[in-house]
Amino acid sequence: MPDAAAAARRVSSWRQFKAILRKDIVMELRTKEMLTSMSLYALLTLVVYQIALSQSGSGFDIRLIAAGLVWLAFVFTSMLGLNRSLVHEKDQGCLEALLLSPVDRPVIFFAKSIGNLIFLLIVEIITVPIFAVAFMSGRPIAGPFWMIVLSGLVGSIGIAGVGTFLATMAVNARGGSFILSVLFIPLMYPALLAAVAGTSAAVLGGPGYVDMFWRSVGMGAGIDAIMLLAVYGLYEFIVSA
Amino acid sequence: MTGDSSPALAVDVEGLVRAFGARKALDGVSLRLPAGAFLSIFGPNGAGKTTLLRVLTTLTNPSKGSVKVAGLDVVADAVELREKIGLISHNPLLYPDLSAEENLLFFSEMYGVEEPATRVRELLAAVELDHRRFDLVRTFSRGMLQRLSIARALLHRPEVLFLDEPYSGLDPHAADILDSLVAQVREQHTFVMVSHDLAKGLELCTHALILAKGRVVFFEPRENVDETAFAALYRSTVGLGVA
Amino acid sequence: MELRVDKKRLTFAAVIAGAVLTTVGFVLAFLVAPPVLADTTLASGGGAMIGGELIANPVLFSQKIFYFHVPVAITSFIIFFFTALYGLRFLMTKDKAFDTKARIATEVTLVFVVLTMITGDLWTRFEWGKWWVWEPRLTTYFIMMMLVIVYFVLRASIEDEERRAVYAAAFGILAFLDAPLSFLITRLVPSGNHPVVFKVGGGLDAIQVTTSVVALLGMLCLGYAIYQMRFREERAKERIEALKASLED
């Protein structure tokens, strides 16, 4: 084969990114494995919250802990989904097939992360209204709605990015999902705290809440940037190990 | 056939060492394989066959030595090289929740195959799976999976094809189909096959190699191989155990 | 060969220096350094207010533990830095020695983090009357302790030696980045319980500073010595393994 033809054939990373993302979405829409298990798990978490709060009495203002409860539900459901998404790749050695193709490793990372982010956001969109109806009736949130959305997005980006990285490690470890959770929670501590602080500011309001919101969301975005840059740099090593 | 000019060499390995700490999976492997050849690699479990294959297919980097496949360095030119090689493994490397056609289309995108739809149809016909192309791979039998995995490996018209125990788990009928498929594409490709099956490996190959404890024990063109002596040598390495 | 002898001597010197310096630090802390008074603006009557708690003892004798606690905490963080550094070196070279170094640095980090937690907690118990308070530094160290423990859990769960080394290196780097981030973010959430005994720019006199520095140097020497001794032990083990492997040939 002539060299010129070989050079011209070099695939664009964008095309590969789209292919991986589309494949993940098609597979998920077909099996609905991740979405159903994640949503179900999120709903069950709400049931557990009801049990936990059953003796708190009517005077208890749920808004004080609402942000924390919602993020807690996201953390646990996301771990379920993250694990699944990488198990798919591992099952029949498909990850190896991806690595054999002329793809830059970060493209795989970004495509998988974006896919996981989309699934996580879908579960969040299902869970939040149910949480609001079930626990927050008569106690409206103080801040504007876009604040909730923004803090949710910043936190979810961190969860999806770092989570995809850790899940790639966990599928190769003994006790995969357990390993994922023990790696994930301490490592995500700063990002989660920022997310809860941001969402909480928006829910609670009070004097200076706008300031507190931007400080939290700004910190959250900064933490996301640092951690994502680090996992982006390290992904090549762990995916080919 | 053993020309010195590097383009004529499909595989050119010089002093390859693959080690971690004191443990050496490959310990000074050198081999030169002309383009168009069929190399069969034999060796006991743990001899380093899989590691050698992983190095040749750019999945693992060598610790020492130079490794060129199709004239490209496996480390420096890894991305370009990946466009020129295909792997058929005992693992199908296919997504069970996608149909046969979707799987091939997906990998066409990954390799940037031109006119993917035509190419995919052509290959599905070649492996006699066009009647099942809308079916999920999950429903395929072992033999069908293996055929589809051959189609996947050929999508981007690779120059060098690697086969990792391709016959393991196949019934005689499926093995026959695999044989005929390999025969069909034999002309245009260089083959490197790792196998436990001595008879099959010798039947197909132009060059035979025995690996034991990460070292090349035997490497000769097929015509220099005396089958009885070769079998005896192979059996003697099996007792050597893990490198 | 000469280099190894030098390292041996250095380790020995570090043990002695560490022992002497930490002892001197203790003596200074208990016998010489004057106590730091709690923020006097909060003082009411005979006690002091810290974090909303009335401290009956105005001299706060228990603060002496800070001459131990702070150096240990700083040392643990410095050693943790080597986990990340050796992890990075490992990923760049794939030389197993760096993996061993990173692992041992993490082991030593664990020792010092646990000591930090214990000393910090003793202080909390006596000054605030509580065993545990979620305030920035305690929380940060708790998270750091979890990360260090998880580092070993991760190692234990991976069979393949090289993969284990790569994953551990990657996780070590992330964990090291995570510690200061945790600290920053916990400061953001209003708490303000932690005693600022060592204020920047004032509050401490020369003898108090000297005492802290002496104790810190002592701890660093001890950390280095423990690291070197563990490393030599591990290297010897690896050499024996290598010899065994070559004998099998």
Side-chain angles (χ1 to χ4, degrees), chain B residues 33 36-40 163 182 186 190-191 193 201 204-208:
Chain B
L33 188 71
F38 192 123
L39 171 68
S40 286
L163 295 94
V182 169
R186 175 69 192 85
T190 304
F191 280 79
M193 179 168 85
L204 293 168
C205 74
T206 65
H207 291 71

Side-chain angles (χ1 to χ4, degrees), chain B residues 16-94:
Chain B
L16 165 62
V17 175
R18 171 71 205 167
F20 188 67
R23 248 204 10 241
K24 287 180 173 155
L26 294 173
D27 190 5
V29 170
S30 297
L31 72 106
R32 291 153 74 85
L33 188 71
F38 192 123
L39 171 68
S40 286
I41 301 174
F42 304 101
N45 288 334
K49 300 191 300 289
T50 307
T51 311
L52 179 58
L53 208 64
R54 286 183 65 86
V55 171
L56 292 175
T57 52
T58 76
L59 291 176
T60 298
N61 284 344
S63 308
K64 266 188 219 139
S66 95
V67 182
K68 282 186 177 155
V69 176
L72 294 167
D73 189 277
V74 290
V75 181
D77 313 314
V79 178
E80 293 97 286
L81 174 56
R82 287 182 194 123
E83 293 179 354
K84 298 190 171 192
I85 56 174
L87 172 70
I88 300 164
S89 150
H90 48 279
N91 220 350
L93 314 184
L94 295 161

